Amino acid sequence: MKAEEQIINQIGRKDFRLLFNDGELKERVKALAYEINRDFANSKTLKIIGVLKGSFIFIADLVRELKIPVHIEFITASSYSKMQSTGIVSIRENTFTTLQGKDVLIIEDIIDSGLTIKTLVDFIKEKGPNSLKVCALFMKPDKIKESICKIDYVGFHLKDEFVVGYGLDFDQRYRELPHVIELLNSEL
Ligand code: IMP
Ligand code: MG
């Protein structure tokens, strides 16, 4: 069955555009892992900090392509209500092992205004890592408002699309889709 048909059957709506199918996502994740393997080849244990919930599938796929030892931690950040940022980022830290003197890589699903990643980077910097890099599967360069840190690894650049699937949600829905689609209207 074609991806579009499968998605229509699964979510019961047709108002979407398929942007990246599972194969395309897999290829891009592999290429990102290649860069991370290369850049951290000489690092001791890399601390990965995954930003929940949206990045859970991306992280699961990415870490299985890594050839270096890592420790994985999670942090929860949220600023979105349905399709819009509320402008306030709340962070919930699950008890971390120390980040002092460690090489840290934050893994985020998508960077929109940049507010979430800026807040997270400031929060992690306080913990005294040796180095801090950021990896995001998606980024919307035209929408960035914050003067944010450099994003070291980006999967795909988007325009103004609101995307779901592969972990990303619209009001908690559609995270389970293996493909990434653009939702064409904001009705639930
Ligand atoms: P920012 O703080 O404006 O950069 O928003 C980042 C967060 O908003 C991401 O971590 C996502 O959870 C959510 N978000 C932004 N754009 C989208 C989208 O297109 N689809 C789903 N979630 C999004
Ligand atoms: Mg997120």
Side-chain angles (χ1 to χ4, degrees):
M1 202 193 300
K2 276 184 63 195
E4 275 100 343
E5 271 177 68
Q6 184 233 308
I7 298 166
I8 294 169
N9 288 343
Q10 192 170 355
I11 70 174
R13 59 193 289 174
K14 291 182 175 173
D15 55 339
F16 66 84
R17 196 162 63 94
L18 177 61
L19 292 187
F20 307 103
N21 67 32
D22 50 358
E24 290 164 325
L25 293 165
K26 195 172 175 199
E27 281 309 302
R28 190 67 194 117
V29 170
K30 262 193 178 173
L32 289 173
Y34 177 88
E35 289 180 43
I36 294 167
N37 283 325
R38 181 197 59 205
D39 295 352
F40 290 96
N42 298 320
S43 149
K44 271 190 121 187
T45 299
L46 174 66
K47 290 265 181 188
I48 285 183
I49 300 187
V51 186
L52 292 175
K53 300 175 193 169
S55 67
F56 78 107
I57 295 178
F58 177 38
I59 292 171
D61 284 349
L62 185 72
V63 295
R64 284 179 292 174
E65 297 292 340
L66 294 180
K67 310 280 184 257
I68 52 170
V70 297
H71 286 177
I72 304 172
E73 310 271 5
F74 290 101
I75 196 166
T76 304
S78 50
S79 70
Y80 253 61
S81 152
K82 303 232 167 73
M83 276 192 183
Q84 281 216 315
S85 175
T86 59
I88 302 160
V89 180
S90 72
I91 294 181
R92 263 174 295 141
E93 173 192 355
N94 313 324
T95 42
F96 281 164
T97 51
T98 181
L99 301 181
Q100 183 88 40
K102 307 287 184 192
D103 294 320
V104 176
L105 178 64
I106 300 177
I107 300 192
E108 175 62 302
D109 53 354
I110 185 162
I111 296 173
D112 186 310
S113 71
L115 184 66
T116 306
I117 196 66
K118 185 178 191 301
T119 310
L120 283 169
V121 164
D122 291 346
F123 179 80
I124 301 292
K125 267 191 187 155
E126 290 282 298
K127 299 186 181 285
N130 174 54
S131 68
L132 179 56
K133 289 192 171 183
V134 177
C135 172
L137 181 58
F138 298 109
M139 184 165 168
K140 303 179 188 172
D142 299 343
K143 288 194 69 191
I144 288 198
K145 287 199 209 103
E146 303 292 325
S147 68
I148 53 171
C149 57
K150 177 168 156 262
I151 307 303
D152 304 274
Y153 309 97
V154 178
F156 302 95
H157 287 106
L158 300 176
K159 293 240 151 50
D160 193 7
E161 297 103 333
F162 189 85
V163 296
V164 298
Y166 197 69
L168 288 96
D169 74 306
F170 172 38
D171 206 23
Q172 301 306 323
R173 294 179 200 207
Y174 313 132
R175 293 191 197 274
E176 69 279 20
L177 287 178
H179 317 288
V180 169
I181 59 176
E182 176 191 7
L183 285 184
L184 299 176
N185 77 65
S186 57
E187 274 147 47
L188 270 175

